[in-house]
Amino acid sequence: MNTDIHIAIVLGTRPEIIKLSPVIRECERRDLPYTLIHTGQHYSDELDSVFFDQLELPEPDYHLDVGSDSHGAQTGKMLAEIEQALLDVEPDVALVQGDTNSVLAGAIAASKLPVEIGHVEAGLRSFDREMPEETNRVVTDHVADYLFAPTDTSADNLRDEGFDESRIHVTGNTVVDAVHQHRTLATEKSTILDDLDLTPREYALLTAHRAENVDDRARFADLLNGVERISTELGVNIVYPIHPRARNRLDEFGLDVPSCIELIEPQDYLDFLDLEQAATVILTDSGGVQEEACILGVPCVTLRDSTERPETIDVGANRLVGIDPDAIRNGAVEMADVATDWENPFGDGNASKRILTALCQSPADDQQVIQ
Ligand code: UD1
Ligand code: UDP
C-alpha cells in the first residue's frame, strides 16, 4: 500500500462538494496528504460555502474564482488556473467527480502533466451529445487512468468503449456514502418541514435546473404546466428549491409560476435530504437527486428525455417522462402509488474507501479490494 501518494481533489459545484465530501473525510481518516482545488464554478453561498460549513470540510487550498461564463470561456479559464495549481502542487493524481465543466477542465489540465487522473462516477452515459455534461463525461473518461464506475452498468459502458479492464474499478457511488453519513442527522437536526408547514407525504419536491429545460422558454413553461397538473391530480403542493440558473430564466422569460408551486431558496444538504425523505414523489432533472430519491426509497419522476442513471429506472424507482405536461402528470400519478421496496443499485456506502484503496494500491500489492 502506497500511503505517500499525494492527491489533488478538484471540485467546483454543489454536487461535487457533496459527493466528494466522503472522499475528503476518508483522506483525513487515513491521514493521506491531499490538496483541495476549488474552481469557483459555483460561488453563491447557497451553492457553495453552505456545504463547506455544514459538511465541515476544510477550506480549499486553492480557490480559482473562475465564476460564470460561456462554456468555452469558463472551461478555458479553469484549464489555465488548474494547470498552474497542479504545477505548483505536483500531486501524483488528480481526482475529479461527475460531469461538470470543472471536471472536464481538471481532467484535461492533468492529462498534459505527469499527473494521473481518477474519475469518480466514470462510465455514466445518457447517449445524448446535446447535453454539455455528456461531452464532459466522455472526454474525462477517455483521459482518466482510474475509472471509478459506480455500477456494473457504467462499467459496461466503459467496456463497450474499449477501455482496458485494468483501468475500471466498480466502487459504488459516493452519493450513498454521503446519504448514509447525513440522513439520520437530517431527520434529527432539520426543522425544514415545520418551517415550511409541510406534512410528510403530502407534498411533492421539485428541482429543475438543467440548461436543456430551463434555458428554453417553451420547455420550461411545459415543465411548470405538467407539475401544476400533478398538484391538481394528487392534491399536493409542490416545493421547488430553485437553482439560480432557473430563477434567472424565470425572470428573464417572465413566466408565471402556478400558485401550487412554492419557490424557495436552494437548501443546505440536511434540509434538502429531509425534504427528499418526506416527499410523496420527487420531480427532477438533476442527476444526484435521481440517485438520492432511489437510495432514500422515494419515487422519482425525471423531467428529461434521457438519463445516465438507468439503474434507477431498472429497479422501479424512477420514470423518465420528458417535459410533455400530460406525460409528467401520468408519470407522477403512477409513481406516487408504486411499492418502494426496490434495492438501491448504487452500492453500500463504502465507495470512497474503495476509491482510496485503489489509488493507494502500488503495483506490488495484491488485489486487496473491499468487496
Ligand atoms: C452546472 C453543471 C451541471 C450541474 C450543475 C449543478 C456544467 C456544464 N453544468 O450547471 O451539470 O448539474 O452545475 O448544480 O458544468 N450561478 C449563480 N451562482 C453560482 C453559480 C451559478 O448565480 O454560484 C448562475 C449564473 O447566472 C450562471 C448560471 O447560474 O450563469 C449557470 O451556472 P453554471 O455553473 O454555468 O451552470 P449550472 O447551471 O450551475
Ligand atoms: N441539493 C441540495 N440543495 C438543494 C438542491 C439539491 O443540497 O436545494 C443537493 C442534492 O441533495 C444532491 C445535489 O445537490 O446531492 C444535486 O446537485 P444538482 O442537482 O445541483 O446537480 P446534478 O446532480 O444534476 O449535477
Side-chain angles (χ1 to χ4, degrees), residues 248-266:
N248 292 343
R249 293 295 179 256
L250 270 187
D251 295 346
E252 194 180 311
F253 296 147
L255 283 172
D256 283 332
V257 179
S259 59
C260 60
I261 301 180
E262 184 176 0
L263 293 185
I264 59 172
E265 292 303 310

Side-chain angles (χ1 to χ4, degrees), residues 177-198:
D177 310 20
V179 168
H180 285 189
Q181 288 169 17
H182 299 102
R183 71 182 293 186
T184 311
L185 213 54
T187 314
E188 285 167 6
K189 287 206 165 169
S190 172
T191 58
I192 190 72
L193 298 185
D194 284 345
D195 298 348
L196 297 177
D197 204 12
L198 294 170

Side-chain angles (χ1 to χ4, degrees), residues 13-16 18-19 42 46-47 51 99-100 133 175 207 209-210 241-243 265-270 272-273 275-276 284-289 291-292 304 309:
T13 68
R14 170 169 71 186
E16 293 157 67
I18 292 170
K19 288 175 164 181
H42 282 179
E46 71 269 21
L47 295 186
F51 298 102
D99 55 20
T100 66
E133 291 86 358
V175 74
T207 80
H209 72 278
R210 290 289 178 159
I242 188 165
H243 186 291
E265 292 303 310
Q267 297 295 298
D268 64 35
Y269 195 45
L270 295 187
F272 190 74
L273 272 179
L275 283 170
E276 286 183 303
T284 193
D285 61 11
S286 157
V289 175
E291 292 161 349
E292 287 173 349
R304 284 176 40 191
R309 273 93 176 168

Side-chain angles (χ1 to χ4, degrees), residues 54-77:
Q54 188 174 58
L55 306 182
E56 295 180 6
L57 301 175
E59 283 289 310
D61 301 284
Y62 290 79
H63 205 301
L64 310 180
D65 282 325
V66 163
S68 306
D69 213 323
S70 65
H71 284 277
Q74 185 185 54
T75 310
K77 274 187 237 163

